[in-house]
Amino acid sequence: MTAEIISGTEIRKEILAEIKEDVAKMKAEGKRVPGLVTILVGESPASISYVTLKIKTANELGFKEIQENQPEDISEADLLALIDKYNNDPEIDGILVQLPLPDQIDDKKVLNAINPDKDVDAFHPVNVGRLMIGGDEAIFHPCTPAGIQEMIVRSNTETSGAEVVVVGRSNIVGKPIAMMMAQKGIGANSTVTIVHTRTKDLAAHCKRADILIVAAGVPGLVKPEWIKPGSTVIDVGVNRIGMNEKTGKAILSGDVDYDAAKEIAGKITPVPGGVGPMTIAMLMKNTLKSAQYALKNS
Ligand code: NAP
């Protein structure tokens, strides 16, 4: 039987509609709307395109959006001062610094300067620690793992007691999603295994996964025979495997052999149109949560 397709494009629409409704409610109650500042240094076309998409989405949701476009030669001190300004701005709930930053700036120093309560990317060590503690402590989850968990929940996949295998142990995907799935709570309570390049028998681990989350960045890494029949497969990989001559756009593929896997799995995410579209939606959800948290505590 062909697997049910978990569409990130559709779930994203649902999430954005829910956020929009919450923002409209805040406005109707006379409250301020969520505020997001996007800090872009330099003019890298890729960074401009990411930031533009974030700004567009924030504006469509009715957020207060501030764009801070800074020159390539901005000093570290000036960038830190800018962050400090927004750390102390009561109308700003989320501060986004688009990476990479130029060589004269220490990325880590800049990201760690963001007030953890406004760190909607959730990369600050304080938020990593909060995620580890779990429960109410974890105000924000990093956006890609949060998107993965949301897809699992909204596709009604049973997580409690499920064997979850995560391929990859990066700080932005593998490690946080593994910890999130192992926590107590909705969409979690799973038994989690993390596998990586030093794992002895990758196939054996994947084969017993009720939920297989693959974030390796290796096209076709997961073979169809590694997939447990009826399981849920979340393919996070985004790999450029060629160029469409007609459109001039990159041809993308995930880490799983999708066409064959969808005949074995119970549910599966496509690439593109799976986890990818979820990330910005979760960024917006984090900004909304940050505003709600700030309003509650003011
Ligand atoms: P990363 O930092 O390169 O980490 C990859 C992880 O996969 C590493 O832990 C690595 O193991 C493991 N790995 C690589 N090859 C493997 C193999 N042959 N067998 C077992 N494990 C292997 O990558 P990332 O940032 O987590 O991203 C992973 C993929 O997700 C990429 O394709 C990326 O483009 C995509 N991604 C998508 C989104 C999105 O859709 N929004 C967001 C983030 C990332 P070692 O630690 O042992 O080296």
Side-chain angles (χ1 to χ4, degrees):
M1 214 177 77
T2 303
E4 175 190 327
I5 310 302
I6 309 175
S7 166
T9 313
E10 289 307 312
I11 297 176
R12 173 184 194 273
K13 275 188 208 155
E14 283 172 27
I15 292 169
L16 293 181
E18 289 163 12
I19 298 174
K20 208 168 177 176
E21 214 179 293
D22 277 358
V23 174
K25 227 182 269 168
M26 289 165 93
K27 261 191 198 162
E29 288 168 2
K31 294 178 184 153
R32 66 173 183 82
V33 295
L36 179 69
V37 59
T38 47
I39 302 177
L40 171 68
V41 177
E43 292 176 0
S44 139
S47 293
I48 291 174
S49 117
Y50 291 134
V51 166
T52 306
L53 200 56
K54 291 170 188 172
I55 293 168
K56 184 172 170 276
T57 312
N59 282 329
E60 283 168 2
L61 294 173
F63 287 7
K64 170 180 170 157
E65 216 292 324
I66 299 177
Q67 299 169 46
E68 279 286 358
N69 293 349
Q70 296 296 322
E72 182 82 24
D73 61 357
I74 186 174
S75 70
E76 188 178 275
D78 285 350
L79 188 55
L80 289 171
L82 194 64
I83 288 175
D84 194 48
K85 173 181 154 188
Y86 290 110
N87 276 344
N88 291 301
D89 182 336
E91 295 203 340
I92 289 298
D93 305 289
I95 302 173
L96 284 180
V97 179
Q98 186 64 46
L99 298 178
L101 292 169
D103 291 346
Q104 76 274 16
I105 295 169
D106 179 348
D107 292 15
K108 219 186 227 177
K109 204 164 169 186
V110 169
L111 295 183
N112 290 355
I114 297 172
N115 174 350
D117 290 344
K118 298 189 179 192
D119 166 42
V120 284
D121 266 331
F123 291 146
H124 193 289
V126 167
N127 283 321
V128 176
R130 286 171 170 168
L131 181 141
M132 182 72 103
I133 296 166
D136 293 343
E137 289 277 344
I139 314 167
F140 315 123
H141 284 158
C143 302
T144 301
I148 295 169
Q149 194 175 39
E150 197 77 32
M151 295 178 96
I152 291 172
V153 170
R154 291 191 190 226
S155 62
N156 296 316
T157 302
E158 180 59 79
T159 59
S160 183
E163 289 287 337
V164 171
V165 174
V166 179
V167 184
R169 54 176 167 182
S170 71
N171 286 329
I172 62 164
V173 191
K175 278 195 269 186
I177 188 61
M179 184 47 61
M180 286 159 64
M181 297 307 294
Q183 295 285 11
K184 282 190 179 171
I186 297 166
N189 284 326
S190 307
T191 305
V192 181
T193 306
I194 305 178
V195 296
H196 44 76
T197 55
R198 307 297 168 96
T199 298
K200 279 186 185 140
D201 189 347
L202 200 60
H205 288 287
C206 293
K207 276 180 188 170
R208 55 176 182 73
D210 300 312
I211 302 173
L212 181 61
I213 301 169
V214 193
V218 181
L221 173 68
V222 172
K223 311 286 176 269
E225 60 273 20
W226 297 7
I227 291 167
K228 181 174 171 180
S231 62
T232 296
V233 177
I234 309 287
D235 190 353
V236 191
V238 179
N239 306 295
R240 285 162 206 268
I241 53 161
M243 185 69 85
N244 183 322
E245 298 287 331
K246 277 190 193 153
T247 61
K249 285 189 176 165
I251 301 170
L252 301 179
S253 117
D255 291 347
V256 177
D257 178 349
Y258 177 77
D259 288 332
K262 75 178 193 319
E263 301 305 322
I264 302 165
K267 296 173 193 167
I268 191 165
T269 62
V271 179
V275 177
M278 295 292 294
T279 301
I280 289 185
M282 300 318 290
L283 186 64
M284 299 301 147
K285 196 161 175 178
N286 276 350
T287 309
L288 171 69
K289 271 192 202 167
S290 174
Q292 289 168 333
Y293 182 80
L295 285 163
K296 205 173 109 193
N297 292 301
S298 63

